[in-house]
Amino acid sequence: MQSVWLKQALKADGGPGITPLDGDLKVDVAIVGGGFTGLWTALELKSRDTSLDVAIIERDICGSGGSGANAGHALPMWLQLPLLEQVSDTESAMNIGNAALKAIDDIRSVSAEHGIDSQISETNTIWAATCEKQSGHWDEMLRLMEGFQVHGYRYLDKDAVRNATGSDALVGGLIDDSSVLIHPGHLVRGLRRVALAKGVRIFEKTEMTKLGRTSPPTVTTPQGTVTARKVVLGLYGWSLSIPELRSSAMVMFTDAAMTKPIPDKLDELGLRGVSGFTDSRVFIEACRPTADDRMFWTKSGGWLPYGDRLDRCSRQPFRTESELRDVIGGYHPALRDVEIEGAWCGPIDRTMNGLPIFGRLPTCRDIVFGYGYSGAGVVPSRVGSHILASLVQDKDDVWTRSPLVSPLSRSFPPEPMRWIGGQIVKAAISRKDRYDHAGKEVGPITKFWLQFKPASYKPS
Ligand SMILES: Cc1cc2nc3c(=O)[nH]c(=O)nc-3n(C[C@H](O)[C@H](O)[C@H](O)COP(=O)(O)OP(=O)(O)OC[C@H]3O[C@@H](n4cnc5c(N)ncnc54)[C@H](O)[C@@H]3O)c2cc1C
């Protein structure tokens, strides 16, 4: 199921121009996965060494995963700083924070240099609350940010948040001056075009069916085997198909919907050019306008796949159209019944603490990986491309020593416990979100199960 973003981007770039692999191949670096992680890493490697022979192996088309389906909130990584500091030190945490700011600049500069219509909107994203029980973490967050000398966050009270978003449903929030909104489809397809122009070979409709943990490693596909000095896995939620990566992350889907262009309605309601926002539910809801006068929104807590069977879940959203309309209607009642252009869903790869993980596969040091973005990968995938490139080049530098290069964990159990436990935790989260809105406290059994939930928007 293609997102409206991806359909728009494919229409604009004249169709995919697919080249599947045709026979065996030897390269310096094989990257599996043609999303932001794979494409940024390919570009980073080429910028470091133009002579490297880099190939991307993508089972569908570039952008068909999370990168072409997301909400396009390009968020800096300030919220991650306290946790990063806890697992490393202040300087290493700030390095990541600054790299994330630079990543947003990279999106701007690559788009400007190569004519990518990323539709960057500087209207920011607000981390908002929809009920009193959700608010209250602002003070702590602002205090922590002061300690890091980060001044991008400002508190907005109910009136200010209404002015910024046009929604009466929000009771307050933190606006992040450095966040931007982008068109994820155009960006990912644009990066593909730039990568091709830089000499990266891209093989689409080419699925990795086996990963050889050999020296050198191999990537087997139905059309041939790729042998590479190094392999990069940029597989996002599909990382669960790699046994070594399975226990460090779980996947749950997020639903998304986009209206048809509604310029008159946006004008009438004063919603043209408003800020995007996420709420503070555990099953986050997010909403933003688009550059072509539509409204777009998401709600997490969708399908919970069994094992690595992600594709069974991605055919249609978890929620009915009416339930999705209720989400937007909760923020903008007058938009509840406007015509929807498309609704889809996509996986979110969650780690327990909400930080992505980069590293080398314990069973083969020549295979490196990056995943676990926990719902915010647009910016961290660019940060991670530096880390992955340094790992590929066997460097000992600020990137390979970064706190995001961390050991794999045993946070999530194997199936069937993962799925059964996941359903119970999912029910507990839904109950907590409902009770918060009713101003009620959840009981001890719900509290017990909530301790097993992975981190939400704010890492913990
Ligand atoms: C609905 C939704 C909303 C989101 N909103 C935001 C947001 O607002 N801001 C934000 O920062 N993040 C958001 N995210 C998360 C963000 O989209 C991801 O973190 C990011 O796109 C990850 O990029 P990636 O390249 O690692 O993954 P992907 O783009 O998914 O790339 C992985 C690729 O691997 C390919 N693949 C899988 N298995 C194989 C195989 N065996 N062989 C070959 N190829 C394979 C897939 O087809 C896919 O194209 C959202 C995600 C979703 C689903």
Side-chain angles (χ1 to χ4, degrees):
M1 187 181 30
Q2 276 181 356
S3 72
V4 176
W5 303 118
L6 189 59
K7 282 184 191 152
Q8 288 176 332
L10 290 175
K11 200 168 165 197
D13 78 6
I18 294 168
T19 310
L21 184 67
D22 181 17
D24 293 346
L25 184 73
K26 264 195 178 156
V27 287
D28 294 320
V29 186
I31 298 176
V32 192
F36 288 142
T37 303
L39 289 161
W40 279 121
T41 303
L43 289 172
E44 180 59 27
L45 282 166
K46 278 294 203 183
S47 78
R48 292 184 184 195
D49 180 354
T50 47
S51 71
L52 277 180
D53 190 5
V54 180
I56 293 179
I57 311 297
E58 164 57 51
R59 62 172 199 157
D60 190 355
I61 59 168
C62 290
S64 58
S67 300
N70 65 73
H73 298 268
L75 307 167
M77 295 176 72
W78 303 131
L79 290 181
Q80 276 93 335
L81 288 188
L83 185 57
L84 285 167
E85 185 186 42
Q86 209 177 312
V87 298
S88 58
D89 52 64
T90 313
E91 190 187 336
S92 310
M94 273 314 285
N95 283 344
I96 297 293
N98 289 327
L101 263 198
K102 168 79 172 49
I104 296 177
D105 270 347
D106 289 346
I107 295 175
R108 280 193 194 92
S109 57
V110 170
S111 302
E113 189 185 341
H114 299 282
I116 301 173
D117 182 21
S118 297
Q119 298 178 1
I120 298 168
S121 154
E122 307 284 344
T123 50
N124 307 133
T125 289
I126 296 173
W127 180 28
T130 39
C131 63
E132 290 304 333
K133 265 193 167 270
Q134 280 175 14
S135 54
H137 29 247
W138 322 129
D139 292 348
E140 187 208 350
M141 217 50 224
L142 287 169
R143 189 179 49 76
L144 288 168
M145 294 297 117
E146 279 294 315
F148 286 106
Q149 303 286 306
V150 172
H151 304 292
Y153 272 104
R154 279 175 298 120
Y155 173 71
L156 301 182
D157 64 13
K158 186 169 170 50
D159 286 342
V161 97
R162 184 197 301 114
N163 284 341
T165 63
S167 174
D168 256 336
L170 304 171
V171 297
L174 290 187
I175 188 159
D176 184 342
D177 284 338
S178 44
S179 60
V180 296
L181 297 172
I182 62 156
H183 187 302
H186 283 313
L187 178 61
V188 70
R189 297 298 297 178
L191 292 178
R192 173 190 184 269
R193 173 164 58 76
V194 179
L196 284 170
K198 303 256 177 205
V200 175
R201 290 193 271 172
I202 300 184
F203 300 102
E204 292 168 301
K205 298 285 177 193
T206 302
E207 179 171 10
M208 174 178 75
T209 47
K210 192 169 158 223
L211 179 63
R213 294 144 177 90
T214 43
S215 182
T218 55
V219 173
T220 304
T221 78
Q223 298 101 318
T225 296
V226 184
T227 306
R229 278 197 302 111
K230 302 279 180 185
V231 169
V232 179
L233 302 177
L235 288 172
Y236 189 50
W238 291 272
S239 299
L240 296 195
S241 64
I242 309 293
E244 295 91 324
L245 303 182
R246 211 169 283 158
S247 61
S248 297
M250 56 86 67
V251 166
M252 194 178 284
F253 277 63
T254 285
D255 291 333
M258 194 185 279
T259 66
K260 296 214 162 181
I262 42 169
D264 296 344
K265 198 94 187 155
L266 294 185
D267 278 342
E268 181 192 322
L269 300 169
L271 294 178
R272 194 188 282 273
V274 290
S275 296
F277 64 84
T278 68
D279 74 350
S280 301
R281 283 180 172 88
V282 185
F283 284 155
I284 287 178
E285 295 177 359
C287 178
R288 57 160 290 184
T290 70
D292 60 350
D293 298 324
R294 302 157 187 265
M295 202 49 100
F296 168 82
W297 67 100
T298 57
K299 180 164 177 73
S300 70
W303 301 111
L304 180 69
Y306 188 91
D308 61 353
R309 295 180 203 160
L310 269 58
D311 299 331
R312 292 196 185 170
C313 301
S314 54
R315 291 176 199 145
Q316 61 186 44
F318 178 72
R319 292 155 184 106
T320 61
E321 184 178 318
S322 170
E323 287 168 327
L324 285 173
R325 287 182 178 286
D326 287 343
V327 175
I328 191 66
Y331 299 103
H332 302 295
L335 296 186
R336 194 196 175 280
D337 295 318
V338 300
E339 236 185 308
I340 290 180
E341 169 105 29
W344 62 93
C345 65
I348 304 283
D349 54 346
R350 293 191 181 283
T351 58
M352 203 58 178
N353 65 8
L355 292 179
I357 312 177
F358 298 86
R360 298 175 195 281
L361 221 53
T363 46
C364 179
R365 308 278 299 161
D366 292 326
I367 302 175
V368 306
F369 60 84
Y371 73 127
Y373 295 109
S374 300
V378 170
V379 170
S381 57
R382 170 56 179 147
V383 176
S385 69
H386 296 283
I387 299 175
L388 291 169
S390 284
L391 287 170
V392 163
Q393 295 182 317
D394 288 320
K395 292 206 164 157
D396 175 19
D397 62 12
V398 66
W399 299 112
T400 52
R401 275 181 267 118
S402 139
L404 295 180
V405 178
S406 63
L408 291 161
S409 71
R410 289 188 179 278
S411 305
F412 300 97
E415 296 296 5
M417 264 127 64
R418 170 187 293 243
W419 189 83
I420 296 167
Q423 293 292 1
I424 298 172
V425 174
K426 198 176 165 208
I429 293 172
S430 296
R431 197 169 312 125
K432 163 122 177 73
D433 282 340
R434 261 195 336 270
Y435 274 45
D436 277 356
H437 276 84
K440 292 198 295 189
E441 279 294 327
V442 292
I445 296 176
T446 304
K447 272 197 184 131
F448 170 80
W449 284 107
L450 284 173
Q451 68 185 310
F452 301 108
K453 77 176 172 50
S456 187
Y457 185 55
K458 176 173 158 285
S460 60

